[in-house]
Amino acid sequence: MRIITWNINSVRLRMPLLRKLAEETMPDVICLQETKVVDELFPHGEIEDLFPYRQINGIKAYNGVAILSKRPFQSGGAQNWCDRADGRHVFVRFAGGLEIHNFYVPAGGDVPDPAENPKFAHKLEFLDEMTEWWTGHARPDAKRVLVGDLNIAPGKHDVWSHKQLLDVVSHTPVEVERLDRLQKTHDWVDAARLFVPEDEKLYSWWSYRARDWRASNRGRRLDHIWVTPALQAKLEKFEILAEARDWQRASDHVPVIVDIAV
DNA sequence: ATGGTCGGTGTCCGA
């Protein structure tokens, strides 16, 4: 099964790119974040030939997540976090038990101080709530995939400059510690670092503000694919489709791809 | 040290 996670930054605006991605990489499942569309206006008609099975959770203008699938799934749903119905989580369960959870963790604003910045407080609270929930739901043999824009680049080499980003939201020690705690709940395996050595730079996002994203290469790895230990040995391939950052009207995030033998 | 650019039932807010 080929699974892609992609922060598409408006699904309606980037329909042509979604089609291009689907045709060029032939995924079974695409998990989207920042669809930025309320469910009633989701472009089902333009997607159903590629992905007949869909589970969506959108709101107007902001956030919004979706799981698009070529294969039918048994059940699906969404959860609210931090008492907000703000389109940050959606999941599906396939026959045989494989589950895919797609998250859009709050970005957290600019100031890395929860006392001063409510958006950063929300981000930390969101991560704590995820940690608590997964702690209660972890099962040793579960076949689960957690993907999404987690808005944290945890490793020294998940950012272009560890030193210069220590005070920048997405790479602060307090966030990285929260993400570590979340990862430990289910012994989640980071697919990226299973395939790419820890000391090799790896990014999935490059700011729109750079004149030339490739030349400056000030990226961060914000988009993640984690699997439970039961699936680790079944991971066959990992790829970050960096070329997508050069597509016409690109998202600032690029697709991240895994193949799992299920 | 600063500001740079995107997207959205927008003329600000969030990223």
Side-chain angles (χ1 to χ4, degrees):
Chain A
M1 180 181 267
R2 174 161 292 174
I3 302 171
I4 295 184
T5 180
W6 188 27
N7 180 321
I8 194 169
N9 189 14
S10 171
V11 68
R12 287 177 294 178
L13 190 71
R14 273 178 254 288
M15 272 312 302
L17 297 188
L18 180 61
R19 184 163 287 274
K20 179 181 170 73
L21 176 66
E23 285 168 357
E24 288 182 3
T25 63
M26 295 297 287
D28 298 288
V29 175
I30 299 189
C31 299
L32 299 174
Q33 304 87 34
E34 287 208 84
T35 53
K36 295 188 173 178
V37 63
V38 69
D39 290 350
E40 291 71 36
L41 296 177
F42 192 87
H44 288 290
E46 297 173 71
I47 292 177
E48 62 194 349
D49 63 318
L50 290 166
F51 299 102
Y53 308 97
R54 297 172 300 279
Q55 188 76 38
I56 63 174
N57 179 20
I59 61 164
K60 186 164 83 170
Y62 300 105
N63 313 335
V65 288
I67 299 178
L68 318 176
S69 177
K70 288 194 172 129
R71 308 189 193 180
F73 43 83
Q74 241 177 14
S75 57
Q79 239 170 280
N80 291 338
W81 301 83
C82 303
D83 294 318
R84 305 182 196 201
D86 59 354
R88 294 187 180 275
H89 172 236
V90 70
F91 68 91
V92 297
R93 184 181 295 110
F94 292 91
L98 178 73
E99 269 177 41
I100 300 177
H101 289 261
N102 177 17
F103 283 94
Y104 177 53
V105 171
D110 289 329
V111 181
D113 176 358
E116 199 179 315
N117 171 12
K119 288 186 217 152
F120 195 69
H122 179 214
K123 183 178 198 173
L124 299 182
E125 191 194 333
F126 193 100
L127 291 160
D128 286 343
E129 208 172 299
M130 279 178 80
T131 298
E132 192 179 344
W133 193 87
W134 282 111
T135 300
H137 289 80
R139 292 201 327 269
D141 297 326
K143 291 182 285 181
R144 288 174 169 146
V145 183
L146 187 162
V147 309
D149 177 0
L150 305 185
N151 265 314
I152 296 172
K156 272 180 96 155
H157 299 285
D158 294 331
V159 291
W160 63 277
S161 168
H162 172 62
K163 204 173 158 184
Q164 283 176 260
L165 287 170
L166 272 171
D167 284 325
V168 174
V169 172
S170 72
H171 192 61
T172 65
V174 60
E175 295 165 81
V176 171
E177 194 266 336
R178 290 302 212 285
L179 195 68
D180 282 342
R181 285 185 54 216
L182 173 61
Q183 194 172 352
K184 286 190 175 80
T185 57
H186 218 315
D187 298 323
W188 292 105
V189 177
D190 174 9
R193 290 306 181 185
L194 209 57
F195 286 83
V196 183
E198 296 277 353
D199 61 353
E200 201 171 301
K201 292 287 185 191
L202 208 48
Y203 314 136
S204 65
W205 171 89
W206 291 265
S207 170
Y208 279 128
R209 293 173 184 173
R211 262 188 295 266
D212 181 337
W213 72 273
R214 201 186 281 277
S216 59
N217 198 23
R218 295 185 168 188
R220 304 177 202 170
R221 187 167 71 96
L222 304 177
D223 303 278
H224 300 268
I225 299 179
W226 291 355
V227 303
T228 48
L231 290 176
Q232 175 169 346
K234 300 193 181 295
L235 279 170
E236 292 183 330
K237 178 189 157 88
F238 170 86
E239 187 186 355
I240 296 182
L241 202 67
E243 66 189 65
R245 190 63 182 75
D246 271 335
W247 288 350
Q248 279 282 332
R249 293 264 244 167
S251 169
D252 45 356
H253 296 252
V254 298
V256 181
I257 308 171
V258 290
D259 288 348
I260 306 178
V262 289

